[in-house]
Amino acid sequence: MSENITTSIKQIDEITKTAMHAVDTLLDNSMEMNRFMMEKVLNDYESFVQLGEAYGNSTTSINKSMDKVKTKSIYITEMMQDVNTSLQEIDESVISTSNTIIDLTVSTDTIEQSMYSLSSISEENAQSAIQLYNQIDKYKY
């Protein structure tokens, strides 16, 4: 039973690690996209804004839209970091629970061994009691 629990715990740990790796990859890609938007797109956009100032309202509208994209990208990055933190906390909890289950399994095995020892001692005591009874019974009137 303890082997099954240990195997299950290892499988849960592997699944958690796979999920954390996927989230890390997603976070990295989101951050790279955000960096690209900040370094490339927004820089190019700033040049475009300077040229577009002559066109008035349309340029202002595009600027607002890009600010919204930037804000949402930052928000998504923060959310992904929160998800990553939560997954790390889950992983720590799974590991802690796994260790507790392993400790309980070891304790159960120890209790089981103690019970067998007590049973053996009880049998020996019963045999000794029978022998004593038989010896005492000889001396009855």
Side-chain angles (χ1 to χ4, degrees), residues 52-68:
E53 284 178 351
Y55 297 103
N57 291 335
S58 61
T59 305
T60 303
S61 176
I62 291 171
N63 190 21
K64 287 179 183 179
S65 295
M66 291 306 288
D67 285 341
K68 287 180 184 177

Side-chain angles (χ1 to χ4, degrees), residues 6 22 25 30 32 44 48 74 88 90 94 103 109 118 124 131 134 138:
T6 303
T25 301
S30 295
E32 185 176 325
D44 292 343
F48 177 74
I74 292 170
Q88 288 174 344
I90 289 170
V94 167
D103 290 345
D109 288 341
L118 284 174
E124 290 174 11
Q131 288 174 355
N134 288 337
K138 289 179 191 178

Side-chain angles (χ1 to χ4, degrees), residues 88-123:
Q88 288 174 344
E89 291 171 359
I90 289 170
D91 186 46
E92 290 170 6
S93 294
V94 167
I95 290 170
S96 175
T97 301
S98 300
N99 290 336
T100 301
I101 290 172
I102 290 170
D103 290 345
L104 285 173
T105 303
V106 169
S107 295
T108 302
D109 288 341
T110 303
I111 291 170
E112 181 181 7
Q113 290 171 0
S114 296
M115 293 300 288
Y116 284 128
S117 294
L118 284 174
S119 175
S120 176
I121 291 169
S122 293
E123 281 184 35

